Amino acid sequence: MLDTWTLLIIDDCAADRKIYRRYLLKDPHQSYQILEADCAEEALALCQKMRFDVILLDFCLPDMSGLELFDQMQQKIFETSVPVIMLTGRGDEEIAVQAMKRGALDYLVKQNLTQDVLQLTVRNAIKQSCLQAQLYKTQERQRLIATTALRIRQSLNLEQILNTAVAEVQQLLKCDRVIVYQFAPDADGKIVASSVESCGSLALCDRVGTGGRRQGTGDREQGEIPLVCTLPPAPVPLPHAQSPIPYIYELGLCNCVSLKEQFNTKANLVVPINLSNNGNPTPKLWGLLIAHHNSGERQWQTDDAQMLNEVSVQLAIAIQQAELLAQTQASLAKEKQLNAFKSQIIATVSHEYRTPLTSILAAASTLVKHSQQLDESKQQRFLGIIEHKARYMSKLVGNMLLVNQFELEKPKFQPIRLDLEQFFSDLIEQERETAGDRHELVFKITGNNQDFWGDRGLLQQIFTNLISNAIKYSPDGGAVEFHLIGKESQVIFYIKDQGIGIPIADQENLFQSFSRGSNVDTIPGTGLGLAIVKACVELHGGNITLSSQVGQGTKVTVSLPKIFPTAQLSPSST
Ligand code: ATP
Ligand code: MG
């Protein structure tokens, strides 16, 4: 079926109007609805009421010249150029040229007018007008997308980029809501930006899907949308121009049904956000850009989809830039942290090594120079000093290497099944030997301590450090209690002393390397022990807390899970 075009004939000669009408209605290639005006005033009134696909305009009208009327129509009525064909008399081609310069589509000389010429000229004018309109629309779209892209890419902050993108797309598509959905590495995902500010439930719905595990609505947490997303394959080809498209990606691939229900959404338009993939031809699917429409039915047009796609490309570039910046900043921060840590090590080594080294040197040179004059017991005492100080320095080096290893994130973790009661009896016995008489070490065991898996070396680090702290920071002696409480799925340890305690202000930072309490006075230490303890506890998937009161004593609690996920176990431990 032929499209019907609306045409206006403006001519004061009724006979001429009749001829044009007859000629045009005979066109086998085009169908017309024709209106007529015999003066400029009537023509202007008609143009104000309705839009014409093409206008035949006589160059000479009773109330105004054709050119004047053309100017007025352009200024007052139409936003874009007026689709006008000028009708001139023989010898008036000058007027026609002027009209063409002002934007008329074509002109016809009345005296030469035949049926074929009129039909062809009008058909061509309509075609040209359509092309012009299409071009204008494309340019306008490009301009809008360029502005949108500029706004999106103005920031290097991911959150800001996403928020700008959803707001801009909502404006661009004039839709109710725009969402950015980000895939997690395990194909799970969450909504990371939404253009709707007043939608409380949306702000809450951080987690959207759980990789297919939570599809029903029964166990839905408040504000959570059970959207199950699987990675979409290649996009569904776009339908022909102007035809409505409900989704670019089939909803079967991205099961938005629940999402639609949740927001009473009648129409979704979904496009992928693809990041370039380190030279790999297959891009990395980062997430989805989703436009929703709630109010009334909306038939998405190819234009809408193309715009969303183009914005998605710009958004992907902005995301990639933001990610790159974040990565660079993170590695810079890590570098800075490592440098600070290295400076700390150098400062500590030079400080902590000097005192024991001086003692070792003094004891050794006394022995070298005066061994003849020293009796057996004095020689033993000097040798004892050398051994004790050398051990201290060796422990210091060991601790620093360990902390360094943790800082570089290369810890070794080899859990094995352990007899906890035996392990701690041995450990306490060892500590008793070094503690001397002034401290009473109490060891209490309760509950079920079977089936515990742990890394022997790391556990030794944890508990020798904690027990030696309890002893070291109780210079007046007293009881040091060690409780082992076995629960069903975890084991809890308390180490409690009656020592100097820790000022509240210092407690917060004690688990950081080189951090010491302000009340340690001359008690030696480097501030590395608790940092090592914390790292070892975390490797076990456990937790450590500390409570203390100055002058009263300190209680450190460690809880460790009994069993490890099999995936974490190394071959040597089985
Ligand atoms: P080292 O590296 O030799 O262990 P350190 O004992 O100073 O040195 P940490 O074990 O990390 O280092 O302890 C940090 C600080 O916490 C100590 O310097 C001390 O101020 C405080 N602290 C730790 N345990 C106790 C405790 N049981 N009683 C009082 N203060 C403690
Ligand atoms: Mg210590």
Side-chain angles (χ1 to χ4, degrees), residues 406-427:
F406 288 132
E407 291 285 327
L408 294 174
E409 293 165 30
K410 286 185 220 152
K412 283 201 189 93
F413 179 58
Q414 293 173 331
I416 53 164
R417 195 191 197 110
L418 265 180
D419 178 348
L420 274 186
E421 294 179 8
Q422 187 60 49
F423 175 81
F424 282 110
S425 304
D426 295 347
L427 194 90

PDB file of all heavy atoms in Angstrom, residues 406-427:
ATOM      1  N   PHE A 406      54.604 -11.054  54.847  1.00  0.00           N
ATOM      2  CA  PHE A 406      53.175 -10.746  54.893  1.00  0.00           C
ATOM      3  C   PHE A 406      52.859  -9.503  54.078  1.00  0.00           C
ATOM      4  O   PHE A 406      51.847  -9.441  53.393  1.00  0.00           O
ATOM      5  CB  PHE A 406      52.705 -10.545  56.338  1.00  0.00           C
ATOM      6  CG  PHE A 406      52.640 -11.837  57.118  1.00  0.00           C
ATOM      7  CD1 PHE A 406      53.198 -11.939  58.378  1.00  0.00           C
ATOM      8  CD2 PHE A 406      52.016 -12.949  56.590  1.00  0.00           C
ATOM      9  CE1 PHE A 406      53.132 -13.129  59.096  1.00  0.00           C
ATOM     10  CE2 PHE A 406      51.945 -14.138  57.292  1.00  0.00           C
ATOM     11  CZ  PHE A 406      52.508 -14.235  58.553  1.00  0.00           C
ATOM     12  N   GLU A 407      53.736  -8.502  54.158  1.00  0.00           N
ATOM     13  CA  GLU A 407      53.498  -7.257  53.418  1.00  0.00           C
ATOM     14  C   GLU A 407      53.495  -7.522  51.920  1.00  0.00           C
ATOM     15  O   GLU A 407      52.767  -6.919  51.175  1.00  0.00           O
ATOM     16  CB  GLU A 407      54.581  -6.218  53.729  1.00  0.00           C
ATOM     17  CG  GLU A 407      54.541  -5.656  55.133  1.00  0.00           C
ATOM     18  CD  GLU A 407      53.411  -4.651  55.342  1.00  0.00           C
ATOM     19  OE1 GLU A 407      53.081  -3.942  54.393  1.00  0.00           O
ATOM     20  OE2 GLU A 407      52.870  -4.607  56.469  1.00  0.00           O
ATOM     21  N   LEU A 408      54.351  -8.443  51.483  1.00  0.00           N
ATOM     22  CA  LEU A 408      54.419  -8.748  50.058  1.00  0.00           C
ATOM     23  C   LEU A 408      53.346  -9.742  49.629  1.00  0.00           C
ATOM     24  O   LEU A 408      53.295 -10.176  48.497  1.00  0.00           O
ATOM     25  CB  LEU A 408      55.803  -9.302  49.708  1.00  0.00           C
ATOM     26  CG  LEU A 408      56.971  -8.329  49.868  1.00  0.00           C
ATOM     27  CD1 LEU A 408      58.283  -9.037  49.631  1.00  0.00           C
ATOM     28  CD2 LEU A 408      56.849  -7.143  48.925  1.00  0.00           C
ATOM     29  N   GLU A 409      52.497 -10.119  50.596  1.00  0.00           N
ATOM     30  CA  GLU A 409      51.380 -11.033  50.342  1.00  0.00           C
ATOM     31  C   GLU A 409      51.835 -12.375  49.797  1.00  0.00           C
ATOM     32  O   GLU A 409      51.312 -12.893  48.849  1.00  0.00           O
ATOM     33  CB  GLU A 409      50.375 -10.401  49.393  1.00  0.00           C
ATOM     34  CG  GLU A 409      49.663  -9.219  50.014  1.00  0.00           C
ATOM     35  CD  GLU A 409      48.947  -8.382  48.986  1.00  0.00           C
ATOM     36  OE1 GLU A 409      48.523  -8.955  47.990  1.00  0.00           O
ATOM     37  OE2 GLU A 409      48.843  -7.169  49.199  1.00  0.00           O
ATOM     38  N   LYS A 410      52.908 -12.917  50.362  1.00  0.00           N
ATOM     39  CA  LYS A 410      53.309 -14.247  49.940  1.00  0.00           C
ATOM     40  C   LYS A 410      53.419 -15.190  51.138  1.00  0.00           C
ATOM     41  O   LYS A 410      54.445 -15.827  51.348  1.00  0.00           O
ATOM     42  CB  LYS A 410      54.682 -14.191  49.257  1.00  0.00           C
ATOM     43  CG  LYS A 410      54.644 -13.605  47.869  1.00  0.00           C
ATOM     44  CD  LYS A 410      56.019 -13.727  47.262  1.00  0.00           C
ATOM     45  CE  LYS A 410      56.353 -12.481  46.485  1.00  0.00           C
ATOM     46  NZ  LYS A 410      57.776 -12.232  46.449  1.00  0.00           N
ATOM     47  N   PRO A 411      52.405 -15.234  51.984  1.00  0.00           N
ATOM     48  CA  PRO A 411      52.528 -16.078  53.163  1.00  0.00           C
ATOM     49  C   PRO A 411      52.361 -17.552  52.807  1.00  0.00           C
ATOM     50  O   PRO A 411      51.602 -17.898  51.907  1.00  0.00           O
ATOM     51  CB  PRO A 411      51.385 -15.614  54.056  1.00  0.00           C
ATOM     52  CG  PRO A 411      50.406 -14.989  53.132  1.00  0.00           C
ATOM     53  CD  PRO A 411      51.111 -14.586  51.901  1.00  0.00           C
ATOM     54  N   LYS A 412      53.091 -18.412  53.509  1.00  0.00           N
ATOM     55  CA  LYS A 412      52.922 -19.861  53.309  1.00  0.00           C
ATOM     56  C   LYS A 412      51.911 -20.320  54.343  1.00  0.00           C
ATOM     57  O   LYS A 412      51.987 -19.951  55.505  1.00  0.00           O
ATOM     58  CB  LYS A 412      54.256 -20.566  53.551  1.00  0.00           C
ATOM     59  CG  LYS A 412      55.213 -20.413  52.405  1.00  0.00           C
ATOM     60  CD  LYS A 412      56.265 -21.524  52.484  1.00  0.00           C
ATOM     61  CE  LYS A 412      57.356 -21.286  51.480  1.00  0.00           C
ATOM     62  NZ  LYS A 412      58.485 -20.551  52.047  1.00  0.00           N
ATOM     63  N   PHE A 413      50.973 -21.122  53.927  1.00  0.00           N
ATOM     64  CA  PHE A 413      49.944 -21.581  54.852  1.00  0.00           C
ATOM     65  C   PHE A 413      49.694 -23.060  54.608  1.00  0.00           C
ATOM     66  O   PHE A 413      49.187 -23.448  53.566  1.00  0.00           O
ATOM     67  CB  PHE A 413      48.668 -20.765  54.608  1.00  0.00           C
ATOM     68  CG  PHE A 413      47.535 -21.171  55.489  1.00  0.00           C
ATOM     69  CD1 PHE A 413      47.662 -21.130  56.864  1.00  0.00           C
ATOM     70  CD2 PHE A 413      46.332 -21.589  54.939  1.00  0.00           C
ATOM     71  CE1 PHE A 413      46.620 -21.501  57.681  1.00  0.00           C
ATOM     72  CE2 PHE A 413      45.281 -21.962  55.738  1.00  0.00           C
ATOM     73  CZ  PHE A 413      45.421 -21.914  57.115  1.00  0.00           C
ATOM     74  N   GLN A 414      50.113 -23.888  55.586  1.00  0.00           N
ATOM     75  CA  GLN A 414      50.004 -25.326  55.377  1.00  0.00           C
ATOM     76  C   GLN A 414      49.328 -25.985  56.574  1.00  0.00           C
ATOM     77  O   GLN A 414      49.996 -26.475  57.494  1.00  0.00           O
ATOM     78  CB  GLN A 414      51.398 -25.910  55.177  1.00  0.00           C
ATOM     79  CG  GLN A 414      52.028 -25.422  53.886  1.00  0.00           C
ATOM     80  CD  GLN A 414      53.460 -25.835  53.730  1.00  0.00           C
ATOM     81  OE1 GLN A 414      54.183 -26.011  54.716  1.00  0.00           O
ATOM     82  NE2 GLN A 414      53.896 -25.975  52.503  1.00  0.00           N
ATOM     83  N   PRO A 415      48.005 -25.980  56.579  1.00  0.00           N
ATOM     84  CA  PRO A 415      47.307 -26.550  57.738  1.00  0.00           C
ATOM     85  C   PRO A 415      47.371 -28.083  57.777  1.00  0.00           C
ATOM     86  O   PRO A 415      47.345 -28.732  56.730  1.00  0.00           O
ATOM     87  CB  PRO A 415      45.868 -26.073  57.551  1.00  0.00           C
ATOM     88  CG  PRO A 415      45.744 -25.770  56.113  1.00  0.00           C
ATOM     89  CD  PRO A 415      47.091 -25.436  55.585  1.00  0.00           C
ATOM     90  N   ILE A 416      47.472 -28.588  58.999  1.00  0.00           N
ATOM     91  CA  ILE A 416      47.427 -30.044  59.200  1.00  0.00           C
ATOM     92  C   ILE A 416      46.492 -30.319  60.378  1.00  0.00           C
ATOM     93  O   ILE A 416      46.163 -29.405  61.137  1.00  0.00           O
ATOM     94  CB  ILE A 416      48.828 -30.626  59.520  1.00  0.00           C
ATOM     95  CG1 ILE A 416      49.461 -29.859  60.707  1.00  0.00           C
ATOM     96  CG2 ILE A 416      49.740 -30.598  58.322  1.00  0.00           C
ATOM     97  CD1 ILE A 416      50.625 -30.581  61.315  1.00  0.00           C
ATOM     98  N   ARG A 417      46.082 -31.568  60.517  1.00  0.00           N
ATOM     99  CA  ARG A 417      45.227 -31.911  61.660  1.00  0.00           C
ATOM    100  C   ARG A 417      46.127 -31.928  62.904  1.00  0.00           C
ATOM    101  O   ARG A 417      47.170 -32.560  62.924  1.00  0.00           O
ATOM    102  CB  ARG A 417      44.638 -33.299  61.427  1.00  0.00           C
ATOM    103  CG  ARG A 417      43.505 -33.587  62.331  1.00  0.00           C
ATOM    104  CD  ARG A 417      43.140 -35.063  62.249  1.00  0.00           C
ATOM    105  NE  ARG A 417      41.822 -35.232  62.797  1.00  0.00           N
ATOM    106  CZ  ARG A 417      40.771 -35.522  62.085  1.00  0.00           C
ATOM    107  NH1 ARG A 417      40.890 -35.691  60.794  1.00  0.00           N
ATOM    108  NH2 ARG A 417      39.611 -35.657  62.668  1.00  0.00           N
ATOM    109  N   LEU A 418      45.701 -31.200  63.947  1.00  0.00           N
ATOM    110  CA  LEU A 418      46.577 -31.018  65.110  1.00  0.00           C
ATOM    111  C   LEU A 418      45.916 -31.499  66.392  1.00  0.00           C
ATOM    112  O   LEU A 418      44.718 -31.271  66.599  1.00  0.00           O
ATOM    113  CB  LEU A 418      46.875 -29.535  65.280  1.00  0.00           C
ATOM    114  CG  LEU A 418      48.136 -28.953  64.670  1.00  0.00           C
ATOM    115  CD1 LEU A 418      48.200 -27.478  64.977  1.00  0.00           C
ATOM    116  CD2 LEU A 418      49.365 -29.626  65.253  1.00  0.00           C
ATOM    117  N   ASP A 419      46.714 -32.122  67.262  1.00  0.00           N
ATOM    118  CA  ASP A 419      46.236 -32.439  68.606  1.00  0.00           C
ATOM    119  C   ASP A 419      46.518 -31.191  69.445  1.00  0.00           C
ATOM    120  O   ASP A 419      47.631 -30.972  69.921  1.00  0.00           O
ATOM    121  CB  ASP A 419      47.009 -33.651  69.136  1.00  0.00           C
ATOM    122  CG  ASP A 419      46.590 -34.006  70.554  1.00  0.00           C
ATOM    123  OD1 ASP A 419      45.886 -33.190  71.182  1.00  0.00           O
ATOM    124  OD2 ASP A 419      46.981 -35.088  71.021  1.00  0.00           O
ATOM    125  N   LEU A 420      45.496 -30.372  69.611  1.00  0.00           N
ATOM    126  CA  LEU A 420      45.684 -29.063  70.240  1.00  0.00           C
ATOM    127  C   LEU A 420      46.200 -29.165  71.669  1.00  0.00           C
ATOM    128  O   LEU A 420      47.060 -28.400  72.101  1.00  0.00           O
ATOM    129  CB  LEU A 420      44.360 -28.304  70.251  1.00  0.00           C
ATOM    130  CG  LEU A 420      44.034 -27.492  69.002  1.00  0.00           C
ATOM    131  CD1 LEU A 420      42.767 -26.692  69.229  1.00  0.00           C
ATOM    132  CD2 LEU A 420      45.169 -26.544  68.642  1.00  0.00           C
ATOM    133  N   GLU A 421      45.664 -30.128  72.435  1.00  0.00           N
ATOM    134  CA  GLU A 421      46.047 -30.219  73.853  1.00  0.00           C
ATOM    135  C   GLU A 421      47.527 -30.528  73.972  1.00  0.00           C
ATOM    136  O   GLU A 421      48.241 -29.932  74.780  1.00  0.00           O
ATOM    137  CB  GLU A 421      45.172 -31.250  74.557  1.00  0.00           C
ATOM    138  CG  GLU A 421      43.737 -30.745  74.569  1.00  0.00           C
ATOM    139  CD  GLU A 421      42.752 -31.682  75.223  1.00  0.00           C
ATOM    140  OE1 GLU A 421      43.203 -32.682  75.819  1.00  0.00           O
ATOM    141  OE2 GLU A 421      41.548 -31.419  75.119  1.00  0.00           O
ATOM    142  N   GLN A 422      48.003 -31.460  73.128  1.00  0.00           N
ATOM    143  CA  GLN A 422      49.426 -31.811  73.140  1.00  0.00           C
ATOM    144  C   GLN A 422      50.272 -30.625  72.694  1.00  0.00           C
ATOM    145  O   GLN A 422      51.267 -30.268  73.321  1.00  0.00           O
ATOM    146  CB  GLN A 422      49.648 -33.009  72.194  1.00  0.00           C
ATOM    147  CG  GLN A 422      51.054 -33.586  72.239  1.00  0.00           C
ATOM    148  CD  GLN A 422      51.414 -34.087  73.643  1.00  0.00           C
ATOM    149  OE1 GLN A 422      50.635 -34.818  74.260  1.00  0.00           O
ATOM    150  NE2 GLN A 422      52.560 -33.647  74.161  1.00  0.00           N
ATOM    151  N   PHE A 423      49.811 -29.992  71.639  1.00  0.00           N
ATOM    152  CA  PHE A 423      50.544 -28.862  71.068  1.00  0.00           C
ATOM    153  C   PHE A 423      50.740 -27.764  72.126  1.00  0.00           C
ATOM    154  O   PHE A 423      51.851 -27.260  72.325  1.00  0.00           O
ATOM    155  CB  PHE A 423      49.763 -28.322  69.858  1.00  0.00           C
ATOM    156  CG  PHE A 423      50.348 -27.085  69.235  1.00  0.00           C
ATOM    157  CD1 PHE A 423      51.412 -27.172  68.340  1.00  0.00           C
ATOM    158  CD2 PHE A 423      49.845 -25.822  69.535  1.00  0.00           C
ATOM    159  CE1 PHE A 423      51.956 -26.027  67.758  1.00  0.00           C
ATOM    160  CE2 PHE A 423      50.386 -24.677  68.970  1.00  0.00           C
ATOM    161  CZ  PHE A 423      51.435 -24.785  68.075  1.00  0.00           C
ATOM    162  N   PHE A 424      49.670 -27.452  72.857  1.00  0.00           N
ATOM    163  CA  PHE A 424      49.780 -26.363  73.838  1.00  0.00           C
ATOM    164  C   PHE A 424      50.520 -26.782  75.098  1.00  0.00           C
ATOM    165  O   PHE A 424      51.193 -25.964  75.719  1.00  0.00           O
ATOM    166  CB  PHE A 424      48.406 -25.773  74.143  1.00  0.00           C
ATOM    167  CG  PHE A 424      47.954 -24.852  73.037  1.00  0.00           C
ATOM    168  CD1 PHE A 424      46.917 -25.194  72.193  1.00  0.00           C
ATOM    169  CD2 PHE A 424      48.620 -23.659  72.796  1.00  0.00           C
ATOM    170  CE1 PHE A 424      46.534 -24.376  71.168  1.00  0.00           C
ATOM    171  CE2 PHE A 424      48.246 -22.822  71.762  1.00  0.00           C
ATOM    172  CZ  PHE A 424      47.198 -23.178  70.939  1.00  0.00           C
ATOM    173  N   SER A 425      50.375 -28.054  75.502  1.00  0.00           N
ATOM    174  CA  SER A 425      51.138 -28.513  76.673  1.00  0.00           C
ATOM    175  C   SER A 425      52.627 -28.316  76.410  1.00  0.00           C
ATOM    176  O   SER A 425      53.350 -27.789  77.254  1.00  0.00           O
ATOM    177  CB  SER A 425      50.888 -29.985  76.960  1.00  0.00           C
ATOM    178  OG  SER A 425      49.537 -30.190  77.129  1.00  0.00           O
ATOM    179  N   ASP A 426      53.077 -28.717  75.198  1.00  0.00           N
ATOM    180  CA  ASP A 426      54.497 -28.571  74.846  1.00  0.00           C
ATOM    181  C   ASP A 426      54.914 -27.105  74.856  1.00  0.00           C
ATOM    182  O   ASP A 426      55.953 -26.734  75.389  1.00  0.00           O
ATOM    183  CB  ASP A 426      54.782 -29.155  73.455  1.00  0.00           C
ATOM    184  CG  ASP A 426      54.560 -30.665  73.423  1.00  0.00           C
ATOM    185  OD1 ASP A 426      54.433 -31.256  74.523  1.00  0.00           O
ATOM    186  OD2 ASP A 426      54.498 -31.243  72.317  1.00  0.00           O
ATOM    187  N   LEU A 427      54.032 -26.293  74.252  1.00  0.00           N
ATOM    188  CA  LEU A 427      54.351 -24.864  74.121  1.00  0.00           C
ATOM    189  C   LEU A 427      54.462 -24.194  75.492  1.00  0.00           C
ATOM    190  O   LEU A 427      55.400 -23.441  75.776  1.00  0.00           O
ATOM    191  CB  LEU A 427      53.244 -24.187  73.313  1.00  0.00           C
ATOM    192  CG  LEU A 427      53.576 -22.802  72.813  1.00  0.00           C
ATOM    193  CD1 LEU A 427      54.216 -22.881  71.440  1.00  0.00           C
ATOM    194  CD2 LEU A 427      52.312 -21.972  72.727  1.00  0.00           C
TER     195      LEU A 427
END
